[in-house]
Amino acid sequence: RGNSARFMASWRDSIVGAEYLTLRNLEWRTQVCLFLLVVISTVGFVMMDSVLFTNAATKNLEMIDHAGSFRVDVVDSVFWLRSQFIAAHHGDQAEWQHLKEENEYVMEELRDYHVGNFETAQSPDVSEFYHMHVMVNIPYYKGWEAVDETYWKFGNDISRKSRFATSTPIEEMKE
């Protein structure tokens, strides 16, 4: 058996030599194509990432960040105003003043976020959202009144009216 194995091994290159060279050539071509695919994909990804991320994605992420803060700040403002009423009821001037300053600061941030989102509205859809008119029922002294509002005006009213409510004197809140 050993003699026949050595004999076959000595003829191996001439028996399957052409097929072996074809396979080696095919393997080399496959590796070159794979390398070129990786290089072209990497270059394309870097170019697309730099263009898309610096232009659109960064601004969209900022708008999402501002919108998330906007909602949280509105809810926080309501709770701080409630806490301000409780502090006024208990006569805690220091706590009342602290809550007033905190709420005013947050409402100024809210206004700035709102203005920033309005100014950086990139797509026509976002811009249309800010300018779209919607009928909103608002409570007045004698009942509800339908008012034509835009998101731009509504966002400004929230920060303005919350700051106005926060600035109510402590004596008036005690009543």
Side-chain angles (χ1 to χ4, degrees):
R1 254 195 258 168
N3 286 339
S4 63
R6 280 192 296 277
F7 178 75
M8 293 298 286
S10 66
W11 286 90
R12 181 183 64 172
D13 293 337
S14 61
I15 294 174
V16 290
E19 290 82 7
Y20 181 73
L21 287 175
T22 304
L23 283 175
R24 293 288 290 169
N25 199 5
L26 182 63
E27 180 185 20
W28 181 80
R29 286 181 185 170
T30 305
Q31 288 178 351
V32 167
C33 287
L34 180 63
F35 177 75
L36 288 174
L37 180 67
V38 168
V39 167
I40 290 170
S41 298
T42 302
V43 169
F45 175 77
V46 167
M47 289 174 56
M48 291 298 288
D49 185 49
S50 65
V51 169
L52 289 178
F53 188 71
T54 55
N55 292 340
T58 306
K59 291 179 182 174
N60 287 342
L61 289 173
E62 287 174 1
M63 287 184 70
I64 290 169
D65 181 45
H66 291 169
S69 300
F70 190 88
R71 288 189 295 269
V72 170
D73 289 346
V74 168
V75 172
D76 282 349
S77 173
V78 171
F79 282 109
W80 283 328
L81 188 59
R82 180 209 54 159
S83 298
Q84 196 176 355
F85 272 100
I86 292 171
H89 176 71
H90 291 297
D92 190 353
Q93 178 75 30
E95 181 67 15
W96 180 86
Q97 185 64 32
H98 169 72
L99 291 166
K100 176 184 180 208
E101 291 169 359
E102 187 70 29
N103 203 4
E104 286 175 348
Y105 173 74
V106 168
M107 286 301 105
E108 287 176 20
E109 272 190 344
L110 182 99
R111 184 196 62 221
D112 294 343
Y113 287 151
H114 187 59
V115 170
N117 284 342
F118 180 75
E119 290 174 347
T120 59
Q122 298 178 37
S123 70
D125 294 334
V126 175
S127 182
E128 180 184 332
F129 176 72
Y130 273 96
H131 294 93
M132 181 175 49
H133 289 267
V134 179
M135 293 303 289
V136 179
N137 291 318
I138 298 179
Y140 280 102
Y141 296 108
K142 297 180 181 180
W144 295 86
E145 184 176 321
V147 178
D148 186 27
E149 292 281 348
T150 62
Y151 182 69
W152 167 249
K153 186 177 174 188
F154 189 63
N156 288 333
D157 281 350
I158 288 173
S159 64
R160 183 177 51 81
K161 289 179 180 177
S162 182
R163 278 186 287 148
F164 181 73
T166 301
S167 66
T168 304
I170 191 169
E171 297 79 25
E172 194 174 324
M173 282 189 175
K174 284 182 182 180
E175 296 175 3

Short mmCIF file of all heavy atoms in Angstrom, two decimals, residues 120 125 132 137 142:
data_model
loop_
_atom_site.label_atom_id
_atom_site.label_comp_id
_atom_site.label_asym_id
_atom_site.label_seq_id
_atom_site.Cartn_x
_atom_site.Cartn_y
_atom_site.Cartn_z
N THR A 120 -35.45 75.15 12.80
CA THR A 120 -34.70 74.08 12.12
C THR A 120 -35.62 73.07 11.45
O THR A 120 -35.15 72.00 11.06
CB THR A 120 -33.78 73.34 13.11
OG1 THR A 120 -34.57 72.78 14.15
CG2 THR A 120 -32.72 74.25 13.66
N ASP A 125 -43.02 68.48 5.72
CA ASP A 125 -44.00 67.90 6.64
C ASP A 125 -43.89 68.53 8.03
O ASP A 125 -44.90 68.85 8.66
CB ASP A 125 -43.81 66.39 6.75
CG ASP A 125 -44.12 65.67 5.46
OD1 ASP A 125 -44.92 66.21 4.67
OD2 ASP A 125 -43.57 64.58 5.23
N MET A 132 -49.90 74.24 10.56
CA MET A 132 -51.22 73.66 10.35
C MET A 132 -52.22 74.23 11.37
O MET A 132 -51.93 74.31 12.56
CB MET A 132 -51.13 72.14 10.51
CG MET A 132 -52.42 71.41 10.30
SD MET A 132 -52.18 69.60 10.36
CE MET A 132 -51.26 69.38 11.86
N ASN A 137 -60.66 73.36 21.56
CA ASN A 137 -61.62 73.88 22.53
C ASN A 137 -60.87 74.31 23.78
O ASN A 137 -60.18 73.52 24.42
CB ASN A 137 -62.66 72.81 22.88
CG ASN A 137 -63.58 72.53 21.71
OD1 ASN A 137 -64.01 73.46 21.04
ND2 ASN A 137 -63.86 71.27 21.45
N LYS A 142 -67.19 81.42 30.70
CA LYS A 142 -68.58 80.99 30.53
C LYS A 142 -68.70 79.66 29.81
O LYS A 142 -69.76 79.31 29.34
CB LYS A 142 -69.37 82.06 29.78
CG LYS A 142 -69.45 83.36 30.55
CD LYS A 142 -70.24 84.38 29.79
CE LYS A 142 -70.27 85.68 30.60
NZ LYS A 142 -71.02 86.72 29.93
#
